[in-house]
Amino acid sequence: MGPSGGGKTTLLNLLSGRVTTNDAASSITYNDQPYSKSLKRRIGFVMQDDVVFPHLTVKETLTYAALLRLPKTLTKQQKEERVMNVLRELDLERCQNTIIGGAFVRGISGGERKRVCIGNEILLNPSLLFLDEPTSGLDSTTALRIVQMLQSIAKAGKTVVTTIHQPSSRLFNKFDKLILLGRGNTLYFGKASEAMQYFSSIGCSPLIAMNPAEFLIDLANGNVNDKSVPSLLEDKVLFRHRNSEKQNGRLSPTDVHQYLVDAYETRVARKEKRMLLKHAAVDGEIESRSNSREWGASWWEQFSILFRRGLKERRHEYLSCVRVTQVISTAIIVGLLWWNSDAASPKGLQDQAGLLFFISVFWGFFPVFTSIFAFPQEKAMLGKERAVGMYKLSAYFIARNASDLPLDLILPIVFMVIVYFMVGLKHSISTFSLSMLTVFLSVVAAQGLGLAIGAAFMDVKKATTLASVLIMTFMLAGGFFVQKVPSFMLWIRYISFNYHTYRLLLKIQYGCSCSGLDHRSESFDSPFIRQIKTDNGGKEVGAMIAMIFGYRLLAYIFLRGMKLRKTA
């Protein structure tokens, strides 16, 4: 316990192995054994923020966690039974089929969401459970219920370590031991019930009725209002500073803090250290010699589970009413603007070339700015799940791409079906199929670029800024606005999926039909199609495929290099 900035979360992160220190003189041991990867499965960590997928139900959230984290030796049925046991233990049966919800999605209550996060960790039946401010943002009754549940877990033989900011007196009385922190220093460590007695013994006691937790937090902040102060401290300050540190008759918080630190070091610290060292025993269950990571599922099982989870979670976002309306309304407007256009005349040909260029730009722009948000939005979830060794990064990355693919291709199909036959493009099954395939290539390549940019920055604002510049550059070099690009800028069009998509669409619509026509014909003497009659588009297709894999490889490399609290 301690004030904000006192070091509570930092201490918890160090103890749980989520953050390491480079100080060679310090070490953290568990029953005299050093931290190891095998020990990670014996430790649970509940973060202060509730990091969960909003569109999954309570049961689905715990089931996916169980399938990924519980040992391979358990069958799927046994893992599902464990989930039901946890639901009963945490009193979540009533809401097990309700989605968790979030800021914009109505779901379960805050207390139930916190219990789901705790359930994710106790699935593994950990020996040691860390919780970072589990009562934050909850009302007093819900907070008491959470602490009572943690107390029952502790009574069942687990060690529960939690940080808490300023609990009520009812919550404070539930804890067995207390570490009081202030400015990164320990001010007290011992039985919680004896904390008030200790501070009274060093001359600090409340002058009015006060919540013990409130009294302790005030002391940790150096606030001695309505509290007795030892005369030794007042005399020492008065002698050293000659009243220069007196502020409106009050002691300096720095002097109060230093006095509490010194008192703890001389009265408690040495005694507690001796007791801890005396009673430390090696837990026979901890295999400290094993430093290998044991996965709860094989790579293929991880991929399959993450693929199914991805489809269930993201279908709500990809097929939302707003997004579907956006695509359909755009398709209808485009169809009406180019209604029954005719390529028989130069003007009609130019109009259709503009339509094809718009299609190449729209299905380059739209997927980029959709996929940019993928990794930044899931950064917290990825960090949390990778920190506990839930799955391999490669399984997550491939499953993320595979689950996005069918969702990303639904809207282009709807768009093309509406537009293609309204605007009077070539009516044949082969031409329509090839045009659709070209749009698919554009969507998948653009999505790869968005993933790479998002993974590189993990910041939506920075990623969106860079993507805007790149998309604008690709569009300008795409072959519609400028046919004769200066040689020193020519290389841009070869890495532009807009350019390759546009050329492929032109070849599909006009390339074959023009091969037998007089190239001097006024209708087809156009820069848009003058150079598209001699090849079948193999170079463009090859370039698009190279982009599809190349951008994704970059995205994976950026993800692998991220420091997501020991996730790599």
Side-chain angles (χ1 to χ4, degrees):
M1 191 172 71
S4 298
K8 303 186 298 296
T9 300
T10 302
L11 175 61
L12 214 63
N13 286 332
L14 286 167
L15 293 177
S16 62
R18 295 169 66 85
V19 173
T20 55
T21 175
N22 296 323
D23 186 358
S26 64
S27 64
I28 299 174
T29 59
Y30 303 79
N31 287 347
D32 282 351
Q33 301 300 312
Y35 182 83
S36 63
K37 290 180 179 178
S38 62
L39 186 62
K40 183 183 290 187
R41 294 194 171 275
R42 303 287 305 281
I43 298 174
F45 191 100
V46 180
M47 301 171 66
Q48 181 176 351
D49 298 323
D50 300 330
V51 182
V52 282
F53 286 114
H55 293 105
L56 296 181
T57 66
V58 171
K59 186 177 179 181
E60 286 172 344
T61 299
L62 294 180
T63 299
Y64 287 128
L67 293 175
L68 288 167
R69 298 186 68 183
L70 291 177
K72 294 180 184 179
T73 52
L74 299 179
T75 64
K76 183 179 178 181
Q77 183 180 356
Q78 289 174 320
K79 292 181 179 181
E80 290 174 348
E81 287 176 358
R82 174 61 182 156
V83 170
M84 295 308 300
N85 290 336
V86 170
L87 288 172
R88 283 191 291 270
E89 184 179 349
L90 300 182
D91 194 22
L92 291 170
E93 287 181 292
R94 180 177 58 84
C95 62
Q96 61 178 302
N97 295 317
T98 305
I99 63 170
I100 290 177
F104 305 105
V105 183
R106 185 176 177 83
I108 59 178
S109 68
E112 289 168 335
R113 191 181 298 113
K114 181 62 69 176
R115 278 182 276 157
V116 171
C117 294
I118 295 172
N120 261 327
E121 299 304 317
I122 66 173
L123 276 170
L124 284 173
N125 196 25
S127 299
L128 180 58
L129 179 62
F130 291 101
L131 303 100
D132 191 7
E133 298 202 19
T135 60
S136 178
L138 303 178
D139 61 83
S140 59
T141 303
T142 305
L144 179 62
R145 189 175 183 183
I146 293 289
V147 172
Q148 286 173 335
M149 183 192 66
L150 296 175
Q151 190 180 40
S152 66
I153 293 174
K155 287 180 178 178
K158 314 301 178 190
T159 300
V160 179
V161 182
T162 175
T163 65
I164 199 160
H165 182 65
Q166 189 164 333
S168 65
S169 56
R170 289 191 300 174
L171 262 62
F172 182 80
N173 290 328
K174 296 291 181 184
F175 295 108
D176 299 313
K177 286 195 172 185
L178 169 70
I179 299 177
L180 182 65
L181 296 175
R183 303 185 187 184
N185 296 109
T186 304
L187 307 181
Y188 174 76
F189 174 54
K191 291 182 179 180
S193 58
E194 297 177 358
M196 296 296 289
Q197 180 182 345
Y198 163 75
F199 283 103
S200 294
S201 70
I202 63 172
C204 300
S205 57
L207 299 177
I208 59 174
M210 190 178 292
N211 175 0
E214 184 179 353
F215 168 76
L216 296 175
I217 293 293
D218 276 354
L219 280 183
N221 275 314
N223 179 7
V224 291
N225 289 338
D226 301 320
K227 302 167 190 68
S228 64
V229 178
S231 56
L232 177 65
L233 175 59
E234 287 189 330
D235 294 342
K236 183 178 180 181
V237 171
L238 195 62
F239 176 78
R240 188 173 69 243
H241 298 296
R242 298 183 183 279
N243 288 328
S244 62
E245 290 291 318
K246 287 271 188 174
Q247 299 172 357
N248 298 326
R250 292 178 296 178
L251 293 169
S252 163
T254 302
D255 286 314
V256 174
H257 174 78
Q258 190 58 50
Y259 174 77
L260 296 176
V261 171
D262 293 341
Y264 171 76
E265 289 293 333
T266 55
R267 291 171 177 257
V268 180
R270 295 187 183 92
K271 177 184 175 183
E272 287 292 339
K273 287 177 183 177
R274 283 197 301 269
M275 290 179 62
L276 288 171
L277 292 172
K278 180 180 178 181
H279 295 292
V282 176
D283 187 346
E285 297 180 36
I286 297 179
E287 300 177 7
S288 60
R289 292 167 297 190
S290 174
N291 202 36
S292 61
R293 178 176 294 175
E294 298 177 5
W295 301 100
S298 65
W299 189 95
W300 178 253
E301 288 171 336
Q302 290 175 14
F303 167 80
S304 177
I305 294 165
L306 292 170
F307 176 79
R308 295 198 307 272
R309 188 180 76 172
L311 279 178
K312 281 194 173 183
E313 168 59 25
R314 286 186 284 276
R315 66 187 176 186
H316 302 277
E317 179 185 351
Y318 277 83
L319 302 179
S320 65
C321 292
V322 174
R323 188 166 292 182
V324 172
T325 302
Q326 179 185 8
V327 171
I328 292 178
S329 60
T330 303
I332 293 173
I333 292 171
V334 169
L336 293 174
L337 286 172
W338 275 275
W339 177 264
N340 281 336
S341 61
D342 186 6
S345 65
K347 187 176 181 180
L349 180 63
Q350 184 173 349
D351 285 347
Q352 278 199 1
L355 166 66
L356 297 178
F357 184 72
F358 173 80
I359 292 174
S360 70
V361 170
F362 183 76
W363 289 111
F365 172 89
F366 195 76
V368 165
F369 286 93
T370 299
S371 56
I372 267 180
F373 294 89
F375 296 132
Q377 283 182 340
E378 292 190 6
K379 179 180 179 180
M381 180 64 74
L382 181 61
K384 169 191 167 185
E385 293 181 339
R386 288 280 293 153
V388 296
M390 189 179 287
Y391 46 72
K392 294 183 178 180
L393 184 61
S394 57
Y396 164 79
F397 183 80
I398 296 176
R400 184 68 168 80
N401 281 271
S403 62
D404 283 348
L405 196 59
L407 297 172
D408 273 333
L409 298 184
I410 293 173
L411 293 180
I413 292 174
V414 174
F415 179 90
M416 290 297 290
V417 167
I418 295 173
V419 169
Y420 197 89
F421 298 103
M422 286 181 70
V423 300
L425 293 175
K426 190 186 295 183
H427 286 189
S428 74
I429 295 177
S430 61
T431 307
F432 175 76
S433 301
L434 289 173
S435 299
M436 184 67 72
L437 183 60
T438 300
V439 172
F440 284 173
L441 287 173
S442 176
V443 168
V444 180
Q447 185 193 53
L449 177 62
L451 292 173
I453 295 173
F457 291 99
M458 282 296 182
D459 181 276
V460 173
K461 287 185 178 180
K462 293 178 181 178
T464 304
T465 301
L466 177 61
S468 300
V469 174
L470 287 177
I471 291 297
M472 181 189 66
T473 305
F474 287 173
M475 180 181 67
L476 293 175
F480 181 79
F481 296 112
V482 183
Q483 276 78 51
K484 188 178 180 181
V485 179
S487 57
F488 62 88
M489 294 289 288
L490 196 62
W491 60 274
I492 295 176
R493 60 172 37 176
Y494 296 112
I495 61 170
S496 165
F497 42 78
N498 295 138
Y499 172 76
H500 298 296
T501 303
Y502 179 50
R503 284 182 62 84
L504 281 173
L505 289 174
L506 287 174
K507 289 180 180 183
I508 292 167
Q509 289 297 320
Y510 312 118
C512 298
S513 62
C514 296
S515 57
L517 295 176
D518 184 359
H519 292 174
R520 292 172 297 177
S521 169
E522 183 182 9
S523 299
F524 289 92
D525 188 16
S526 168
F528 301 119
I529 61 171
R530 192 177 293 139
Q531 298 178 352
I532 66 173
K533 304 167 188 134
T534 56
D535 65 80
N536 58 5
K539 291 181 180 179
E540 287 81 3
V541 172
M544 297 282 278
I545 293 174
M547 290 180 196
I548 288 171
F549 289 100
Y551 286 142
R552 280 167 172 76
L553 179 60
L554 276 177
Y556 180 77
I557 292 171
F558 287 136
L559 273 187
R560 176 61 67 183
M562 288 296 294
K563 299 296 182 182
L564 297 175
R565 284 189 179 182
K566 303 282 289 180
T567 62

